[in-house]
Amino acid sequence: MRACSRLRPPASRRLRTYATAIVTAPVHVGVIGGGITGLAAAFFLALDGKRRVTVLEGSERVGGWIQTRSVDVGTGRVLFEQGPRTLRGGGLSASATKALIALLGLQSQIVASPKANASRYLYYPDRLVRVPGPGASRSASVRSLLFEAPFNALVPALVAEPWRATRPAEREDESVGGFVARRLGRAVADNIVSGMMHGIYAGDVYQLSVKSLAPLLWHCEQAYGSLVRARYELGPLSRQRSRDDVELLACLIPYRRALRESASIGDSQYSFRGGVGMLVSALEERLRRMPNVQLVTGWQAARLRYDGARAQVTVSDAKNRSTVSFPTVLSTIPARALARLTPEQPLLTPLAGIHAVSVAVVNVYYADPALLPAHGFGYLIPRSVPWALNPECALGVVFDSDTVPGLDSAPAGTKLTVILGGHWWDGRPRLPDEAEAGYQARAVLARHLGIVHEPRAVRVSLQRDCIPQYVVGHHARLAQADVGLKRAFHGRLRVAGCSYHGISVNDCIRAGLVAAGGIAAARDADADAPETGLGSFSLPQVWTTVAWEEKKDAVDRIRKDR
């Protein structure tokens, strides 16, 4: 509880009005990176007026990969999302986002995804196959699980799973694909799970780490010998909380009122009337109005050094050849970029090993609203699809006009987003340019969906190194980086962001909230156990079941081994 107990919202009864008076000699925190993690961290740090916060962003805009573009199509305007296109309402991480939305007063701008369009599909082997679950009736889901490839492999795999051998105790990590193939069979890994990994991480199922991406499943196999047996003994696994989850619950305690005000958001996918970029715009506007916050763009950090004499971190600017020092710095830039800023610190070289993949996001709008052969969220393409059916290296297609309709002033049409590249582009000496990516996306739509019409608008965004890959050994690398940061910066430099604890918008806002809570609670950064933001990777994984009313006891239990 101590880690976040000092991070308090203002005492005002209205959450959208708050005190901003700066106390005498406030702590000055530098935040490197103006993506959603950095903006959220700055907001929660500055909210009670007890700290000065300076955000240093290298580009001329904030928001990172979140970018909504409004495009004129002749008959009106359409919104194209060139980064994340919706937010997920369910799950613990979503609570931090909901609290932020309430504090910014954006509840009235929420646009929920229609439940009628919740269906999801896999393209396998040469057609769309509806995924059992949301959007499908119970009878349709049963038929799919029993008779429809590739999902008909799941039931026999689950029946046989309790009798499969448990991994060797000395194995420290494994790929998601290797783990699923051992527990459920290669067909499930190749035909189903690889598509999921394409949709979330744009990554290779046989490279991504199961210990990092599905730590509870990794724990359940070792503790119970079987995933099915663990589900039987524990009940719903979604109730299990990790050490990091309990820290988040502690940080959310001061914002319970905000969570109540945002309860109407629910668990479905959602966006805003102005697209996801509206969240960034509202956050930027609020930060610029706060007298204890300075938001600086165009500051290209070139070097970070620890000044032992003053116990501060010095940040050098490559563009203006100037420096600024802070008692505490929070880095929210990619791990590999941070490693480049600290070349004289060999203990931080594990951060350089966290690479990211590149993707092309191709937004397409057609005037005809009746082009889709099926309706829902969209479809993903597993690795098992033959090359002849996916030579463009597409990862999936989002049906934007179904997912969040009603955002455009143009008449209803068919709006789609094609995602290309990801791990398929790793090692390529040259990536396609915008014209090539646009052509490839249209070829995918023609082959998979039969859409050969001329689009009214096409926009391409080539996003280089945008999605960090938590490959096998990620957990161990971050444990080493935790030690390196403590020794090199003595607790004055913390890290947060998509290189470490999750890549979704919800994960990033959660990371910003937790980082702000840790900084707010720190009384002596040079203590024997300085915090870096990576401390949980150096500790044994612990799981517990916790509800709001049990939070204090759970926090005490899960921290007792510290």
Side-chain angles (χ1 to χ4, degrees):
M1 289 275 279
R2 291 193 307 273
C4 293
S5 61
R6 296 173 66 87
L7 189 64
R8 300 286 183 184
S12 170
R13 290 181 59 83
R14 294 185 63 198
L15 288 170
R16 291 186 293 276
T17 61
Y18 45 84
T20 55
I22 303 176
V23 299
T24 304
V27 175
H28 194 184
V29 180
V31 178
I32 302 178
I36 190 62
T37 305
L39 296 179
F43 176 76
F44 286 113
L45 277 167
L47 193 57
D48 61 7
K50 295 180 179 179
R51 293 159 209 90
R52 293 172 55 210
V53 182
T54 299
V55 181
L56 304 175
E57 164 57 36
S59 70
E60 297 301 328
R61 57 172 293 272
V62 297
W65 298 111
I66 298 177
Q67 187 168 10
T68 304
R69 294 182 62 181
S70 177
V71 177
D72 187 349
V73 295
T75 56
R77 305 190 74 83
V78 298
L79 293 182
F80 283 156
E81 297 287 4
Q82 298 189 321
R85 52 205 9 84
T86 57
L87 304 179
R88 183 170 175 257
L92 185 59
S93 291
S95 300
T97 304
K98 291 176 180 179
L100 178 63
I101 288 171
L103 291 166
L104 295 173
L106 289 177
Q107 300 98 308
S108 63
Q109 301 301 314
I110 295 290
V111 179
S113 180
K115 292 185 178 180
N117 293 337
S119 296
R120 287 159 167 78
Y121 301 87
L122 283 181
Y123 185 80
Y124 178 87
D126 59 357
R127 61 191 178 90
L128 297 187
V129 183
R130 189 197 299 261
V131 176
S137 67
R138 182 173 298 180
S139 59
S141 294
V142 171
R143 285 196 303 272
S144 180
L145 287 170
L146 293 178
F147 305 114
E148 187 101 56
F151 302 108
N152 57 1
L154 273 173
V155 173
L158 289 170
V159 171
E161 194 272 341
W163 286 270
R164 291 181 180 265
T166 305
R167 69 176 183 271
E170 63 273 11
R171 183 173 296 174
E172 296 184 355
D173 200 355
E174 186 176 14
S175 72
V176 172
F179 177 85
V180 174
R182 278 195 307 103
R183 302 309 312 170
L184 299 173
R186 184 73 182 244
V188 175
D190 287 355
N191 301 335
I192 301 175
V193 179
S194 71
M196 296 169 57
M197 295 299 103
H198 282 169
I200 302 171
Y201 297 96
D204 183 352
V205 70
Y206 289 101
Q207 296 292 326
L208 296 169
S209 162
V210 68
K211 186 175 182 178
S212 295
L213 302 188
L216 180 56
L217 299 184
W218 179 255
H219 163 76
C220 285
E221 184 198 20
Q222 189 63 46
Y224 299 92
S226 160
L227 306 183
V228 172
R229 193 175 300 121
R231 170 63 177 81
Y232 175 77
E233 296 194 22
L234 295 175
L237 297 183
S238 60
R239 297 186 66 235
Q240 297 297 308
R241 303 298 184 212
S242 67
R243 186 190 310 274
D244 289 338
D245 291 338
V246 174
E247 292 289 347
L248 173 62
L249 287 173
C251 289
L252 286 169
I253 291 171
Y255 301 105
R256 294 181 69 174
R257 182 175 176 181
L259 290 173
R260 288 194 296 269
E261 289 198 356
S262 61
S264 60
I265 295 175
D267 294 339
S268 62
Q269 302 283 127
Y270 65 94
S271 183
F272 303 88
R273 297 187 188 281
V276 178
M278 191 174 190
L279 176 62
V280 171
S281 298
L283 192 50
E284 178 185 7
E285 180 185 358
R286 180 64 62 86
L287 288 170
R288 292 195 183 278
R289 284 167 34 204
M290 299 172 81
N292 55 332
V293 175
Q294 185 179 17
L295 191 55
V296 183
T297 56
W299 179 286
Q300 299 175 0
R303 188 68 58 89
L304 266 68
R305 295 186 179 88
Y306 177 66
D307 184 344
R310 297 190 298 164
Q312 292 188 339
V313 177
T314 298
V315 186
S316 302
D317 176 22
K319 185 176 181 180
N320 300 313
R321 298 183 180 180
S322 58
T323 61
V324 62
S325 297
F326 304 95
T328 300
V329 167
L330 173 65
S331 171
T332 65
I333 61 177
R336 182 170 283 188
L338 177 59
R340 288 196 295 267
L341 300 185
T342 56
E344 70 281 0
Q345 298 293 344
L347 293 173
L348 301 186
T349 53
L351 296 178
I354 303 175
H355 82 285
V357 296
S358 303
V359 299
V361 179
V362 185
N363 307 109
V364 188
Y365 171 78
Y366 300 90
D368 189 342
L371 297 181
L372 289 174
H375 290 278
F377 190 85
Y379 68 92
L380 299 172
I381 306 171
R383 72 192 310 271
S384 54
V385 169
W387 175 259
L389 297 178
N390 189 28
E392 298 83 9
C393 299
L395 301 167
V397 177
V398 181
F399 301 165
D400 294 305
S401 47
D402 283 355
T403 304
V404 189
L407 299 184
D408 307 321
S409 64
T414 300
K415 185 168 63 172
L416 308 170
T417 300
V418 183
I419 314 295
L420 307 171
H423 74 96
W424 294 126
W425 286 353
D426 282 349
R428 284 196 176 188
R430 176 185 172 276
L431 301 185
D433 59 27
E434 292 188 4
E436 292 170 327
Y439 175 83
Q440 291 173 1
R442 293 181 61 186
V444 169
L445 298 177
R447 186 184 307 109
H448 293 179
L449 303 178
I451 298 177
V452 296
H453 297 63
E454 187 70 21
R456 185 68 61 87
V458 178
R459 293 295 183 273
V460 180
S461 176
L462 294 173
Q463 302 182 356
R464 297 180 182 271
D465 302 326
C466 63
I467 305 178
Q469 300 294 285
Y470 300 178
V471 300
V472 174
H474 182 75
H475 193 281
R477 275 187 289 276
L478 294 185
Q480 294 171 358
D482 176 49
V483 174
L485 284 168
K486 288 176 180 176
R487 292 180 179 176
F489 288 91
H490 304 275
R492 299 291 178 178
L493 175 63
R494 296 171 181 246
V495 298
C498 61
S499 291
Y500 311 104
H501 291 100
I503 67 169
S504 72
V505 174
N506 285 339
D507 291 332
C508 291
I509 294 174
R510 166 184 175 156
L513 170 62
V514 172
I519 292 172
R523 298 181 179 179
D524 184 2
D526 291 314
D528 293 336
E531 293 294 330
T532 66
L534 303 177
S536 62
F537 294 98
S538 298
L539 297 171
Q541 289 185 321
V542 180
W543 297 87
T544 188
T545 303
V546 56
W548 275 107
E549 60 274 11
E550 302 166 333
K551 58 190 173 299
K552 185 179 186 304
D553 291 341
V555 170
D556 292 341
R557 286 200 309 272
I558 211 163
R559 289 179 174 170
K560 66 182 180 180
D561 58 345
R562 286 194 174 187

